[in-house]
């Protein structure tokens, strides 16, 4: 409804009522205008009615929703199911063009605007979360692993002689396969054990660079967010090494946006040395469906180069989901989620420490890991790896999801490379353990229920172990 339509409406309904409705409409439009002018996440979240109004306004800007549109091309935004059309707010054309995921589509002004706005809001959130000097970013409709591959393929154009990627070990399949898929040979740097923590072996990194030669190395591929007892890589030192040898540096920041410590490491690394790009997941950091990631960096030209490497158009679903979520939360809502997560981390750590002590175990001391925790399982190990593994199965069947049980000596082959002690980030970690993480969105109820069920499972396994033990002979 525009001003003319409201004026005509006064013939049918009381003018005072129509003016009131018009003022209410202007309230929605004012929020939309501020968003377009500022290109930042609104401080306070929007109502669903404002968001839906905005989505519908964007949709009618796309040619597939023009009244009387006649499409004679092979891609005209046709959708067979009205349910599918409604699910996507009739934003059917996706984002980008065949040569650039960030390009404007002439027949999809609304979808193009959605894409631009989402990238601007994400940039604002990355700055708010701690990486103040980030220059550019874009949402890509691929999860973290394939997004890392896209970064590596972009670097290949700059460093055609490179064959290797230096990679401090983290036992997670997708980041390892990302390097292999891009056609490079990962040079695995084993971690060093410091107390309970597994940390970056900086001397080994530098030795490998000097041994292989800087020109043969595509980049250093480091990690922030990870499962304890592995902790975030020493990003400042790695960034300094990369600057020294003029080697690119790509950071896997999968679920690090929710951690001020991980974001601070990236900010500091870029300040003292070299970080070319950092990649983060949408679902893990923003509670949206799986399928998207953010590629960000400190050099706008390099980030744009990555976006141009993406072949073809792309799905707008991840951008749409993220835009709706950020408008729902607002900057204050997202900051509250981050603050609540920190409190839940403290609570989870306290509860796990108490539970571990009650069962003769201990919470591993991993102060440099701000998200994940680990509890030893030495008591179960006395009955063998099968008992340790059984704990993981019991928790899963009791609807405790996300907990990881790590046994000793497991081997796993990925892309022709065999990892010893897989999942523990080390060939020979001293003890088996259980992981739990305080990720964004976790609640008091999640923590309480996990601890209660874990306690019951441990008691059950301990009783079973005792029943299998031979009776002590009478003296």
């Amino acid at each position: 409804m525009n001003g003319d339509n409201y004026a005509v409406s006064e013939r049918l309904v009381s003018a005072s009522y129509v003016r009131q409705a018009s003022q209410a409409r202007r309230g929605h439009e004012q929020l939309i205008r501020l968003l377009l002018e500022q290109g930042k996440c609104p401080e306070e979240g929007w109502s669903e009615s404002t968001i839906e109004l905005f989505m519908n306004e964007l949709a009618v800007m796309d040619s597939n929703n023009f009244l009387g549109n006649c499409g004679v091309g092979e891609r005209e935004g046709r959708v067979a199911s009205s349910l599918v059309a409604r699910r996507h707010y009739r934003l059917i054309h996706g984002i980008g063009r065949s040569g650039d995921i960030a390009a404007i589509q002439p027949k999809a002004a609304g979808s193009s605007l959605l894409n631009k706005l989402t990238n601007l809001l994400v940039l604002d959130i990355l700055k708010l979360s701690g990486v103040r000097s980030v220059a550019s970013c874009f949402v890509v409709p691929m999860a973290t692993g394939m997004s890392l591959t896209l970064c590596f393929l972009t670097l290949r154009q700059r460093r055609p002689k490179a064959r290797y990627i230096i990679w401090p070990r983290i036992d997670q399949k997708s980041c390892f396969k990302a390097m292999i898929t891009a056609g490079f040979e990962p040079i695995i740097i084993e971690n060093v054990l410091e107390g309970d923590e597994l940390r970056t072996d900086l001397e080994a990194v530098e030795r490998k660079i000097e041994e292989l030669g800087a020109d043969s190395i595509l980049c250093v591929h480091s990690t922030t967010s990870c499962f304890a007892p592995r902790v975030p890589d020493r990003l400042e030192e790695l960034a300094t090494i990369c600057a020294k040898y003029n080697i690119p540096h790509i950071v896997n920041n999968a679920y690090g946006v929710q951690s001020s410590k991980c974001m601070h490491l990236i900010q500091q690394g870029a300040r003292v040395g070299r970080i070319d790009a950092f990649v983060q997941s949408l679902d893990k950091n923003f509670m949206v469906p799986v399928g998207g990631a953010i590629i960000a960096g400190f050099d706008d030209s390099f980030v744009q180069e990555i976006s141009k490497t993406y072949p073809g158009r792309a799905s707008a679903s991840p951008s749409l989901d993220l835009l709706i979520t950020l408008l729902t939360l607002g900057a204050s809502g997202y900051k509250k989620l981050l603050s609540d997560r920190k409190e839940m981390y403290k609570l989870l750590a306290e509860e796990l420490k108490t539970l571990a002590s009650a069962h003769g175990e201990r919470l591993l001391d991993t102060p440099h890991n701000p998200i994940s925790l680990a509890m030893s399982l030495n008591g179960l190990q006395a009955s063998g790896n099968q008992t340790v593994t059984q704990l993981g199965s019991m928790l899963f069947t009791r609807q405790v999801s996300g907990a990881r049980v790590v046994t000793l000596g497991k081997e796993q082959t990925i892309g022709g490379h065999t990892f010893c002690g897989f999942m523990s980030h080390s060939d020979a970690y001293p003890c088996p353990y259980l992981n739990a993480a305080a990720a964004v969105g976790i609640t008091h109820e999640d923590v309480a229920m996990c601890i209660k069920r874990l306690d019951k499972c441990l008691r059950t396994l301990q009783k079973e172990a005792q029943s299998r033990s031979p009776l002590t002979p009478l003296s």
Side-chain angles (χ1 to χ4, degrees):
M1 295 280 282
N2 57 27
D4 291 340
N5 287 337
Y6 278 116
V8 174
S9 299
E10 292 180 6
R11 301 177 185 174
L12 304 173
V13 178
S14 170
S16 62
Y17 298 160
V18 172
R19 283 196 295 272
Q20 185 181 37
S22 176
Q23 290 168 1
R25 166 82 183 210
R26 281 199 295 272
H28 295 293
E29 292 175 341
Q30 173 74 358
L31 292 174
I32 295 171
R33 184 178 64 80
L34 288 174
L35 176 68
L36 295 171
E37 285 179 351
Q38 297 173 356
K40 292 184 177 181
C41 189
E43 184 61 26
E44 300 299 328
W46 290 5
S47 67
E48 285 191 10
S49 58
T50 304
I51 294 171
E52 289 193 327
L53 173 64
F54 185 43
M55 294 301 111
N56 288 326
E57 293 282 355
L58 291 176
V60 296
M61 294 172 68
D62 284 2
S63 63
N64 61 292
N65 299 311
F66 292 174
L67 294 177
N69 183 66
C70 174
V72 293
E74 82 289 353
R75 181 187 289 112
E76 295 298 330
R78 301 183 181 104
V79 176
S81 167
S82 61
L83 184 61
V84 171
R86 292 198 304 274
R87 173 177 178 260
H88 294 275
Y89 283 95
R90 294 173 291 116
L91 292 159
I92 309 302
H93 282 285
I95 57 175
R97 303 186 74 181
S98 58
D100 183 357
I101 194 176
I104 304 298
Q105 294 188 66
K107 59 184 176 184
S111 294
S112 299
L113 182 56
L114 179 148
N115 188 31
K116 294 289 185 182
L117 277 173
T118 304
N119 291 342
L120 287 172
L121 265 61
V122 169
L123 187 66
D124 187 41
I125 289 294
L126 292 179
K127 291 179 178 180
L128 178 151
S129 301
V131 185
R132 297 289 179 184
S133 60
V134 60
S136 182
C137 72
F138 67 99
V139 173
V140 60
M142 304 185 295
T144 309
M146 285 302 295
S147 298
L148 286 166
T149 296
L150 189 65
C151 294
F152 301 144
L153 290 172
T154 304
L155 285 176
R156 167 179 275 164
Q157 299 168 36
R158 293 188 170 194
R159 300 173 71 84
K161 296 179 181 178
R163 294 178 51 201
Y164 308 106
I165 295 177
I166 301 289
W167 181 65
R169 176 177 171 178
I170 174 170
D171 289 356
Q172 201 270 342
K173 293 179 183 178
S174 65
C175 57
F176 187 77
K177 292 170 73 174
M179 297 180 283
I180 295 172
T181 302
F184 295 95
E185 180 180 340
I187 303 299
I188 302 165
I189 306 297
E190 292 293 335
N191 300 300
V192 291
L193 185 63
E194 297 181 8
D196 290 330
E197 292 184 327
L198 290 165
R199 307 209 67 186
T200 317
D201 189 340
L202 296 169
E203 292 182 359
V205 169
E206 198 153 9
R207 280 198 306 270
K208 273 297 179 184
I209 291 173
E210 292 176 349
E211 175 189 330
L212 298 171
D215 289 343
S216 69
I217 297 169
L218 182 81
C219 66
V220 171
H221 175 196
S222 63
T223 304
T224 54
S225 54
C226 53
F227 295 116
R230 174 69 153 81
V231 300
D233 280 318
R234 299 180 188 270
L235 284 202
E236 289 185 49
E237 293 88 340
L238 286 174
T240 302
I241 291 172
C242 288
K244 175 183 175 181
Y245 291 95
N246 194 29
I247 294 173
H249 185 186
I250 305 295
V251 180
N252 176 7
N253 188 44
Y255 47 100
V257 178
Q258 62 191 279
S259 163
S260 58
K261 182 175 288 188
C262 290
M263 298 300 272
H264 175 74
L265 287 173
I266 293 171
Q267 175 64 34
Q268 287 299 101
R271 185 183 66 83
V272 303
R274 177 171 181 173
I275 291 179
D276 294 74
F278 56 104
V279 179
Q280 36 274 306
S281 163
L282 292 188
D283 61 284
K284 295 184 181 77
N285 292 294
F286 298 100
M287 296 190 293
V288 295
V290 172
I294 301 163
I295 299 175
F298 302 91
D299 176 6
D300 180 64
S301 64
F302 180 59
V303 175
Q304 297 307 317
E305 195 176 331
I306 298 172
S307 75
K308 287 179 171 62
T309 303
Y310 187 97
R313 287 173 174 81
S315 169
S317 290
S319 296
L320 177 62
D321 292 340
L322 184 56
L323 179 60
I324 290 173
T325 299
L326 293 179
L327 292 177
T328 300
L329 292 171
S332 62
Y334 190 66
K335 284 186 283 189
K336 186 177 186 305
L337 281 177
L338 301 187
S339 176
D340 290 347
R341 189 208 68 79
K342 281 188 177 180
E343 293 303 313
M344 289 299 100
Y345 175 84
K346 294 176 185 176
L347 176 65
L348 181 60
E350 290 169 2
E351 294 291 333
L352 274 177
K353 186 174 182 179
T354 302
L355 179 67
S357 178
H359 289 276
E361 302 291 350
R362 66 187 185 90
L363 182 68
L364 300 184
D365 186 21
T366 56
H368 290 97
N369 193 316
I371 299 174
S372 177
L373 296 158
M375 185 185 92
S376 69
L377 296 175
N378 287 314
L380 296 184
Q381 184 62 37
S383 301
N385 273 352
Q386 186 174 354
T387 305
V388 178
T389 303
Q390 189 179 351
L391 173 62
S393 301
M394 291 174 71
L395 288 170
F396 184 75
T397 57
R398 286 157 180 77
Q399 298 181 9
V400 177
S401 60
R404 299 166 73 248
V405 169
V406 179
T407 58
L408 298 178
K410 179 182 178 181
E411 289 193 353
Q412 177 78 46
T413 300
I414 309 171
H417 181 86
T418 299
F419 291 87
C420 298
F422 187 73
M423 289 178 69
S424 69
H425 322 286
S426 170
D427 283 348
Y429 194 75
C431 68
Y433 56 86
L434 174 135
N435 277 134
V440 67
I442 190 173
T443 65
H444 280 272
E445 291 74 17
D446 291 328
V447 173
M449 203 168 294
C450 169
I451 295 298
K452 181 179 179 180
R453 292 174 183 176
L454 175 57
D455 181 43
K456 285 185 177 181
C457 290
L458 288 171
R459 291 181 187 279
T460 299
L461 289 172
Q462 287 164 355
K463 287 179 181 178
E464 289 178 0
Q466 289 170 0
S467 68
R468 289 194 297 267
S469 300
L471 294 174
T472 304
L474 296 172
S475 56

